[in-house]
């Protein structure tokens, strides 16, 4: 079993509707398994239904976990995507 590496990111947007779809498409482009949790719930970040069920709101802290060997690159790409994407406001 591979070790999970985690990093907490304050979300610059809500992951609802089209934002969730864009996020899941990007997550599926990243290598390794990717999970997100908010303390009480945890889901596969590559699953649209899972991401929508998390009800992620803007500025809430979300913990991202991955088992990718190059986890720092995965987290850097994820942060860059979250910071540069033109998000819809919900």
């Amino acid at each position: 079993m591979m070790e999970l590496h985690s990093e907490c990111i304050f979300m610059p947007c809500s992951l609802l509707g089209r934002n969730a779809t864009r996020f899941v498409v990007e997550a599926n482009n990243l290598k390794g398994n990717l999970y997100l949790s908010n303390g009480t719930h945890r889901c596969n970040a590559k699953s649209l239904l899972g991401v929508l069920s998390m009800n992620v709101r803007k500025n809430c802290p979300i913990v991202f976990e991955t088992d990718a060997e190059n986890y720092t690159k995965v987290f850097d790409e994820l942060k860059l995507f979250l910071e540069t994407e033109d998000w819809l406001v919900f």
Side-chain angles (χ1 to χ4, degrees), residues 9 12 76-87:
I9 298 174
D76 289 344
E77 289 177 10
L78 184 61
K79 284 189 271 187
L80 181 64
F81 172 75
L82 289 171
E83 292 168 359
T84 59
E85 187 71 16
D86 185 26
W87 299 104

Side-chain angles (χ1 to χ4, degrees), residues 6-81:
S6 63
E7 186 163 330
C8 184
I9 298 174
F10 283 86
M11 293 301 291
C13 63
S14 297
L15 292 182
L16 304 170
R18 282 186 245 160
N19 287 354
T21 303
R22 283 197 224 147
F23 175 80
V24 169
V25 168
E26 179 65 19
N28 278 297
N29 290 330
L30 300 173
K31 295 193 180 201
N33 294 315
L34 184 64
Y35 303 97
L36 56 98
S37 68
N38 63 2
T40 58
H41 294 90
R42 183 174 185 252
C43 77
N44 183 346
K46 296 182 178 189
S47 162
L48 181 59
L49 188 57
V51 170
L52 288 171
S53 72
M54 293 288 291
N55 199 24
V56 176
R57 299 293 179 172
K58 184 176 182 176
N59 295 324
C60 73
I62 297 293
V63 176
F64 288 90
E65 300 174 316
T66 185
D67 62 0
E69 290 181 19
N70 59 345
Y71 63 93
T72 55
K73 182 179 178 189
V74 169
F75 290 137
D76 289 344
E77 289 177 10
L78 184 61
K79 284 189 271 187
L80 181 64
F81 172 75

